[in-house]
Amino acid sequence: MNAKQFLTASNAAYTALGVKPPGQGWFAFDVSMAEARGGEATKFVMAIWNYRGEKPETYVPSISRDVHTGEIWYRVTRYREGEDPKNRTSLWNGISIAQGYAIPMYALLKDRTTRRCSLGDVYKIEKVVYEPDESALWLQLDVGIRYEGIEFEVVSSAHLHSLSPFSPLKSHSSKENLGSRRMISTEQYMSAYDVAKEIFRGSFSRKGGIAKLAAETGLNEGSASALINNYRCLMTGTPIKAPMSVDAMEHFTDNIVATHGGDVLRNVVLSLRGFVQYQNEEQNNRAHGMRGILDRLESELNGYDRNRFLEEAIRTSEPGVEHASNDPASEILREIWVRGPQHAAFRRALKRQWNNTCAVHGVPCNDLLRASHIVAWRLSESLRGDVNNGLLLSVPLDSLFDCGLIAFSASGQMLLSGKLTQETMAHFGLRPGMQLAWSHLSETTRSRISENLAKHRAMFADQHGYT
């Protein structure tokens, strides 16, 4: 990095970015510590070094670039060698608060030699995960157009996608080691969601469901009970009062809407609206993260209601003319309108499951990704919103998969249709040995996806000879 960019002293840089400079037991938010702990902050900023090492001659880049995907990561150790462990408590508390309330997080680049900052190099922190031994955090950075000029250590970061999200504090006033307080994992949310769904359907008892979650996922009875109850609240429109993280709420709301469609959206909005109101009035918490989810869902509900009205207008626009409601173009238009919120939620759930990357290439593809159904939407109503009936694929792969020119084996290996020409394969970059990049998924999740992949293969088996 050009040293001329590092012109600003740390405190001045924080101030310029609209946050309060960090201090003892504190890190850089745009509000006071008390307000940040209450969820009222709207921005979090931390400094990251461009190099690490004892002396200039031994410096190595602190920022890592993945050799395969190009993802940018920065490692933050739990302790610094030779320092009091409490020195990093404020940083980890700050990250915990920001994660817990889904507050936007930014990394400010700081020069190891001059100890000054570059205001032209502020990166959005996209994701935070922690090492299994809780010795360090990894921050995934979106460097955008500021990529040029950064020195990287080239590494393989494949293992980071299997790590758990960073754990928000249960009590943000605590000064204890954050590593002992883990957030409920995505797999536990998914299991709790599945069990809650079956309890709601009457497949088994609430008591049996709680015992199942405790035995299979390690969730304690209190957390399992709260998640099961929150599912019921979202389905029925009852305001939620039990604590629930932003990640969990996104998982539950998206999967409910993806599974049941736009007709359940009103109840989800009513339930979440009640939760936000309760947080505001009873807990003095602005609940920015939950408010963001609610704003999005309310917008989708308004669009759904509007499209329902238009759909009805089309259906009744020509009284006595029977073919008007059966017109193919009108049927397609109505399906798109009605399907909108359901498919949007399905896509969000898929993006979370596949880390916003193509399920084959393992890279973001400039977000040119399609939420592709494995078993087609029209063929199975029960699988329409099932996240395990989907793959997040780049646009070319989605087109090929949709018409059966490619498929996937039970182990995730890409299968090629005998009808594919060499020219087509070369054009789309297909080659032997390509497979799903799903090592970050649990064995249970891969098994469920494999069941649907088998249905996809069976549907096209007579039409395509796969190799």
Side-chain angles (χ1 to χ4, degrees):
M1 180 67 66
N2 186 342
K4 291 182 180 179
Q5 292 181 312
F6 298 100
L7 304 174
T8 310
S10 294
N11 284 357
Y14 284 115
T15 301
L17 294 174
V19 295
K20 299 177 182 294
Q24 184 68 30
W26 166 246
F27 229 78
F29 288 94
D30 57 339
V31 296
S32 70
M33 182 58 131
E35 291 171 319
R37 285 173 175 159
E40 297 184 29
T42 62
K43 183 188 295 185
F44 169 84
V45 179
M46 60 176 286
I48 60 173
W49 297 105
N50 57 347
Y51 298 114
R52 66 180 186 274
E54 295 297 325
K55 299 178 181 179
E57 59 268 23
T58 63
Y59 283 171
V60 294
S62 288
I63 302 176
S64 301
R65 178 171 60 85
D66 184 79
V67 65
H68 300 296
T69 66
E71 292 174 346
I72 308 301
W73 293 87
Y74 183 83
R75 187 170 183 266
V76 182
T77 57
R78 180 67 182 90
Y79 307 112
R80 284 177 178 168
E81 186 176 352
E83 289 190 5
D84 186 330
K86 294 181 179 179
N87 287 356
R88 285 224 161 172
T89 298
S90 60
L91 172 58
W92 282 53
N93 278 349
I95 294 174
S96 175
I97 293 170
Q99 286 286 100
Y101 290 113
I103 297 165
M105 305 170 65
Y106 300 91
L108 168 66
L109 194 62
K110 188 172 181 179
D111 182 51
R112 172 67 68 178
T113 303
T114 65
R115 307 184 74 83
R116 288 180 171 264
C117 303
S118 172
L119 287 175
D121 292 278
V122 180
Y123 317 133
K124 179 74 180 295
I125 299 174
E126 297 286 351
K127 182 191 297 185
V128 184
V129 297
Y130 64 89
E131 294 282 6
D133 63 0
E134 301 164 357
S135 63
L137 299 178
W138 286 88
L139 312 175
Q140 185 178 3
L141 308 177
D142 178 10
V143 304
I145 61 175
R146 295 172 296 281
Y147 188 101
E148 186 177 355
I150 302 175
E151 293 190 43
F152 302 105
E153 180 180 25
V154 180
V155 301
S156 174
S157 62
H159 77 288
L160 297 181
H161 292 293
S162 65
L163 299 183
S164 299
F166 180 65
S167 169
L169 284 171
K170 292 179 182 177
S171 171
H172 295 306
S173 62
S174 171
K175 298 292 185 181
E176 66 188 61
N177 186 334
L178 305 192
S180 64
R181 296 181 176 271
R182 293 192 178 185
M183 183 167 59
I184 298 173
S185 71
T186 300
E187 290 297 330
Q188 287 174 317
Y189 289 147
M190 294 174 69
S191 296
Y193 175 86
D194 290 340
V195 167
K197 181 171 61 177
E198 293 306 315
I199 292 173
F200 191 79
R201 290 175 175 174
S203 300
F204 46 80
S205 69
R206 177 187 179 86
K207 183 177 180 179
I210 292 174
K212 177 181 174 69
L213 285 170
E216 295 181 0
T217 71
L219 271 175
N220 63 52
E221 290 189 3
S223 296
S225 177
L227 290 172
I228 289 169
N229 188 60
N230 286 352
Y231 175 91
R232 179 190 62 80
C233 289
L234 289 165
M235 288 292 295
T236 60
T238 306
I240 291 174
K241 291 188 178 180
M244 196 171 185
S245 74
V246 172
D247 285 342
M249 187 65 77
E250 286 187 329
H251 180 85
F252 272 48
T253 55
D254 281 344
N255 278 278
I256 285 172
V257 176
T259 300
H260 299 283
D263 289 341
V264 79
L265 188 53
R266 189 176 307 281
N267 283 349
V268 172
V269 166
L270 287 173
S271 178
L272 187 51
R273 189 182 290 158
F275 177 81
V276 170
Q277 182 177 353
Y278 171 78
Q279 289 291 308
N280 289 343
E281 296 177 358
E282 303 296 329
Q283 302 296 319
N284 195 28
N285 176 4
R286 295 183 185 177
H288 291 294
M290 297 298 183
R291 180 76 249 182
I293 299 173
L294 179 59
D295 288 346
R296 183 189 69 223
L297 293 176
E298 285 181 329
S299 176
E300 291 181 357
L301 177 61
N302 290 336
Y304 181 72
D305 287 343
R306 181 175 62 253
N307 291 336
R308 275 294 195 186
F309 174 80
L310 293 173
E311 185 261 346
E312 179 68 14
I314 289 178
R315 189 177 64 82
T316 60
S317 60
E318 297 182 61
V321 182
E322 292 296 327
H323 76 274
S325 62
N326 297 320
D327 178 71
S330 296
E331 287 299 319
I332 292 172
L333 185 59
R334 281 198 290 271
E335 180 181 348
I336 292 172
W337 283 345
V338 174
R339 178 176 168 178
Q342 188 169 10
H343 189 72
F346 177 69
R347 175 177 169 80
R348 287 193 296 269
L350 269 183
K351 292 182 75 172
R352 275 196 304 277
Q353 177 145 294
W354 293 96
N355 298 312
N356 293 307
T357 61
C358 173
V360 173
H361 297 304
V363 295
C365 300
N366 291 107
D367 205 32
L368 296 176
L369 299 168
R370 296 269 177 85
S372 184
H373 284 84
I374 298 174
V375 177
W377 169 281
R378 68 183 183 281
L379 297 179
S380 176
E381 185 174 349
S382 64
L383 289 175
R384 284 178 180 176
D386 186 349
V387 69
N388 296 316
N389 182 46
L391 297 174
L392 195 64
L393 297 173
S394 65
V395 173
L397 292 183
D398 170 71
S399 300
L400 295 169
F401 183 71
D402 191 50
C403 62
L405 286 171
I406 61 171
F408 296 93
S409 71
S411 63
Q413 182 180 358
M414 182 184 289
L415 305 175
L416 305 177
S417 167
K419 294 184 178 181
L420 276 171
T421 65
Q422 290 297 320
E423 291 83 0
T424 300
M425 291 174 60
H427 179 73
F428 286 110
L430 304 181
R431 60 187 183 279
M434 295 180 75
Q435 63 179 44
L436 293 174
W438 61 359
S439 61
H440 65 289
L441 301 178
S442 70
E443 184 177 345
T444 299
T445 298
R446 292 198 300 268
S447 176
R448 291 175 177 175
I449 295 173
S450 291
E451 291 176 7
N452 292 317
L453 290 174
K455 296 173 184 177
H456 178 269
R457 292 195 304 274
M459 184 170 61
F460 290 103
D462 293 337
Q463 186 179 351
H464 300 279
Y466 293 115
T467 57

